[in-house]
């Protein structure tokens, strides 16, 4: 069974640009969550999608948005990039037949903002 | 407020030594879930254990063991007879009954020296 797949693996952007990251969950998983990982802040929750609806949202500005498609694949978009957005963005999926199930993580997208 | 504290930022041990990684959490909920994840250099977080707040039994899985004590709000992780392959960053995480949002500690970087 394929794991969680995130593309691209690396991205380099400049300030002011926007970026879209993609995540394909494990087959059958309906919940997709996004986390930002930085050396200073650690892993911080961005949002969670379940059945194409945002179910939970963390404390990030509106520049961070996401969506989920009918096949459970998810995209995350960051607009008007800032230097502080440089981070490893991790996607995680779960069956979500109930909440608080273990998350399966992808390898992440390393975003560098210059 | 929810919070997970991993006071040990970095630990180095010599191979075959035992090592304990500390995790202290804060939550107002009576129902919650605790997790440990391992992040090797590849970046993908690997699930190790999930424990709910009503199950205080300690657990052992091979060289890994976990000690959950509600009285001290701690969920510590011990690796017995450490190996070089155990070198990684280890994260403790908390998830409350409502919602699927995980609160991660800042991680403990473990280096096992051959």
């Amino acid at each position: 069974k394929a794991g969680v797949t995130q593309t691209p693996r690396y991205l380099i952007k400049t300030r002011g640009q926007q970026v879209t990251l993609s995540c394909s969950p494990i087959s059958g998983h309906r919940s997709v969550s996004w986390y930002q990982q930085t050396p200073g802040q650690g892993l911080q929750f961005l949002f969670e999608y379940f059945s194409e609806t945002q179910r939970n949202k963390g404390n990030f500005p509106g520049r961070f948005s996401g969506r989920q498609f009918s096949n459970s694949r998810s995209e995350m978009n960051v607009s008007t990039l800032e230097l502080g957005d440089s981070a490893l963005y991790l996607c995680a999926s779960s069956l979500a037949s109930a909440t608080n199930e273990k998350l399966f993580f992808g390898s992440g997208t390393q975003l560098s903002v210059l | 407020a929810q919070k997970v504290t991993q006071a040990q930022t970095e630990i180095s041990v010599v191979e075959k030594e035992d090592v304990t990684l500390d995790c202290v959490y804060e939550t107002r909920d009576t129902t919650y879930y605790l997790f440990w994840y391992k992040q090797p250099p590849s970046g993908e977080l690997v699930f190790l254990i999930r424990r709910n707040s009503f199950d205080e039994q300690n657990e052992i899985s091979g060289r890994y063991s976990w000690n959950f004590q509600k009285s001290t709000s701690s969920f510590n992780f011990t690796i017995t007879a450490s190996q070089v392959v155990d070198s990684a960053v280890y994260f403790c995480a908390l998830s409350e009954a409502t919602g699927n949002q995980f609160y991660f500690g800042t991680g403990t970087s473990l280096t096992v020296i051959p």
Side-chain angles (χ1 to χ4, degrees):
Chain A
K1 202 173 191 181
V4 178
T5 303
Q6 291 188 245
T7 57
R9 187 71 177 91
Y10 300 95
L11 264 178
I12 299 175
K13 294 286 187 180
T14 56
R15 279 182 299 174
Q17 287 187 310
Q18 78 165 24
V19 66
T20 299
L21 313 181
S22 180
C23 172
S24 293
I26 292 173
S27 177
H29 285 194
R30 298 168 63 191
S31 167
V32 173
S33 301
W34 289 88
Y35 287 81
Q36 181 195 66
Q37 185 176 16
T38 59
Q41 300 294 322
L43 281 123
Q44 293 189 289
F45 174 74
L46 282 154
F47 29 65
E48 184 219 1
Y49 286 86
F50 178 76
S51 293
E52 301 179 66
T53 300
Q54 188 179 86
R55 190 160 66 171
N56 290 290
K57 188 177 188 305
N59 296 323
F60 277 82
R63 300 185 297 106
F64 292 82
S65 62
R67 60 178 175 169
Q68 186 181 33
F69 302 95
S70 57
N71 61 358
S72 292
R73 190 178 70 85
S74 177
E75 287 182 348
M76 191 192 96
N77 185 274
V78 187
S79 63
T80 320
L81 284 166
E82 300 177 0
L83 294 179
D85 297 333
S86 294
L88 179 66
Y89 289 88
L90 293 164
C91 169
S93 74
S94 69
L95 280 168
S97 54
T99 54
N100 315 108
E101 293 177 348
K102 65 182 181 183
L103 302 179
F104 293 82
F105 284 84
S107 296
T109 294
Q110 183 68 54
L111 172 64
S112 298
V113 182
L114 307 178
Chain B
Q2 313 84 352
K3 187 178 181 183
V4 176
T5 301
Q6 294 179 256
Q8 305 150 309
T9 305
E10 297 181 358
I11 299 177
S12 291
V13 297
V14 176
E15 199 170 22
K16 296 184 184 175
E17 285 185 344
D18 298 348
V19 59
T20 295
L21 309 183
D22 298 332
C23 173
V24 175
Y25 62 92
E26 294 176 31
T27 178
R28 293 193 185 123
D29 279 16
T30 55
T31 302
Y32 52 89
Y33 300 81
L34 296 166
F35 300 78
W36 275 94
Y37 279 85
K38 173 183 179 180
Q39 187 177 39
S42 62
E44 181 177 330
L45 275 81
V46 177
F47 168 83
L48 295 177
I49 190 171
R50 171 184 183 263
R51 176 55 52 86
N52 75 55
S53 53
F54 298 107
D55 182 5
E56 284 194 75
Q57 270 195 328
N58 291 331
E59 182 159 337
I60 298 175
S61 176
R63 296 184 297 106
Y64 296 169
S65 63
W66 291 269
N67 183 300
F68 176 28
Q69 292 195 350
K70 285 179 76 170
S71 60
T72 56
S73 298
S74 65
F75 187 42
N76 296 337
F77 173 32
T78 297
I79 301 174
T80 302
S82 59
Q83 300 176 2
V84 173
V85 293
D86 295 328
S87 296
V89 181
Y90 291 85
F91 290 93
C92 179
L94 164 75
S95 178
E96 296 172 330
T98 52
N100 213 25
Q101 177 173 347
F102 282 48
Y103 300 90
F104 283 85
T106 50
T108 297
S109 178
L110 173 66
T111 301
V112 180
I113 303 165

